[in-house]
Amino acid sequence: MAITDNSPAPPPSAPAVRNGKVTRPGDAVFSNLSRGSGILLLVVMAAIAVFLTVRAADAIAKDHGNFLTTFEWNASATPPVFGIAVLAYGTVVSSIIALLIAVPIAIGIALFISHYAPRRLALPISFVIDLLAAVPSIIYGLWGALFLVPHLVGLNEWLNNYFAWTVIFKSDNPAAARSLFTVGILLAIMILPIITNVSREVFNQVPKMHEEAALALGATRWETIRLSVLPFARSGIISASMLGLGRALGETMAVATVLSASSVLTIHILDPAGGTFSQNIVAKFGEADEFGRNALIASGLVLFIITLLVNGAARLIIARRKEYSGANA
């Protein structure tokens, strides 16, 4: 005699058990969408890299100068001579100046908002910082050219008078403030909101039990921040700094508006000389022919590689500090 199972069948949306784990149809959909998004991102990055490499290879092959060490950029000459030595130096130096100025100030602002300021003061400051992040770069460039450059003449002269012995701040014409130093200050102002906002969110994620334990042991407010907050947020601060550095490396219009570009490479950051990758591209692209555009794309490829190396180095630093990433909190 056959035994029939009259128990009701599970509804179609009931969760399934696979390998001891309960999975729902929505989990599979979300997993596939997430995987597809990651693959799509890799495909886009690979497509960008292939496009830059193919267009750059033709220009570099016909370059009659050394692409890595030549100071001059004259892709329209016969024969063409161009190189990225000045551009790479200017991009790296201006970005380093921006980070040296912006990171300490941004961390201080973020700590003030998250741990010191009363709520009625922290909210307006946060709102203003969010507004600064939304200002277009061309507005920063106009402000830098019309306001920042004239008001930096006195600072340049002071640095030249008292710190010329460092060689870095020595200048033959400190009154001409359209220099890499000015660009670095302007970039610092531009990346300040990004670093501040990310650092503030990281500080707010610090477990309150860590801070309360430090205070219960008799630590002062600063000792609590130094021993509990900053170690926990270290990887987040590095990530925030790399986000700011990414914008500083690729900033175009603001730099082009402020910098008095030339093919001179000098260690004196107060002199009106030098250039950056993005500034050179925006300045030369409009008048360049097909070969000239390929040469500019070649410089863009170098900027692309520098950005990947910087972000890769940041990921390595964060990976070495996993105990402070918050994953085990």
Side-chain angles (χ1 to χ4, degrees):
M1 181 177 179
I3 300 175
T4 59
D5 186 5
N6 296 324
S7 59
S13 60
V17 179
R18 296 178 181 177
N19 298 327
K21 296 182 179 180
V22 178
T23 61
R24 300 178 183 274
D27 296 334
V29 173
F30 180 78
S31 176
N32 292 330
L33 288 176
S34 300
R35 186 181 297 107
S37 300
I39 295 174
L40 178 62
L41 178 61
L42 293 177
V43 170
V44 171
M45 292 290 292
I48 293 174
V50 170
F51 167 78
L52 294 176
T53 303
V54 171
R55 297 290 296 270
D58 178 63
I60 295 176
K62 298 177 181 178
D63 185 11
H64 281 248
N66 190 306
F67 181 68
L68 297 178
T69 59
T70 300
F71 290 2
E72 180 184 1
W73 188 277
N74 194 356
S76 60
T78 305
V81 177
F82 55 91
I84 61 167
V86 175
L87 305 179
Y89 175 80
T91 300
V92 172
V93 168
S94 60
S95 300
I96 290 176
I97 294 173
L99 280 185
L100 291 176
I101 297 173
V103 171
I105 298 175
I107 294 175
I109 296 174
L111 285 174
F112 177 74
I113 294 174
S114 61
H115 288 79
Y116 286 94
R119 185 175 180 83
R120 64 179 180 275
L121 182 60
L123 288 178
I125 295 177
S126 301
F127 179 70
V128 171
I129 293 174
D130 292 337
L131 288 179
L132 286 176
V135 175
S137 60
I138 187 62
I139 303 300
Y140 280 110
L142 293 174
W143 174 80
L146 300 177
F147 179 84
L148 185 62
V149 169
H151 286 79
L152 281 181
V153 173
L155 176 61
N156 286 1
E157 294 176 347
W158 183 81
L159 290 172
N160 182 58
N161 292 334
Y162 293 98
F163 293 95
W165 55 271
T166 63
V167 180
I168 296 176
F169 294 110
K170 179 178 174 57
S171 175
D172 297 329
N173 187 15
R178 294 180 176 272
S179 60
L180 291 177
F181 180 67
T182 303
V183 171
I185 294 176
L186 183 61
L187 291 177
I189 297 173
M190 297 179 67
I191 67 177
L192 186 66
I194 300 175
I195 303 176
T196 301
N197 285 333
V198 177
S199 300
R200 180 190 63 196
E201 295 300 325
V202 173
F203 293 152
N204 287 332
Q205 298 300 319
V206 177
K208 294 300 181 184
M209 294 180 61
H210 292 189
E211 301 181 44
E212 293 172 357
L215 292 172
L217 292 173
T220 63
R221 178 69 65 85
W222 165 241
E223 289 173 339
T224 301
I225 291 174
R226 182 169 59 87
L227 298 175
S228 300
V229 177
L230 293 180
F232 181 91
R234 188 169 302 171
S235 60
I237 294 173
I238 295 174
S239 300
S241 302
M242 292 305 103
L243 284 175
L245 179 59
R247 179 170 185 181
L249 288 171
E251 184 51 51
T252 303
M253 293 308 301
V255 177
T257 306
V258 171
L259 181 62
S260 179
S262 70
S263 58
V264 176
L265 191 153
T266 175
I267 195 174
H268 310 310
I269 62 175
L270 299 182
D271 287 337
T276 66
F277 285 114
S278 53
Q279 170 271 328
N280 184 64
I281 291 173
V282 73
K284 303 290 179 59
F285 194 85
E287 60 186 20
D289 55 12
E290 184 68 20
F291 178 81
R293 286 192 291 270
N294 288 343
L296 294 173
I297 289 174
S299 66
L301 174 62
V302 177
L303 180 59
F304 182 77
I305 295 173
I306 291 176
T307 304
L308 291 180
L309 292 177
V310 168
N311 283 278
R315 295 302 305 173
L316 290 176
I317 295 174
I318 294 173
R320 294 179 59 186
R321 309 295 300 184
K322 286 182 179 179
E323 65 271 24
Y324 295 127
S325 66
N328 300 322

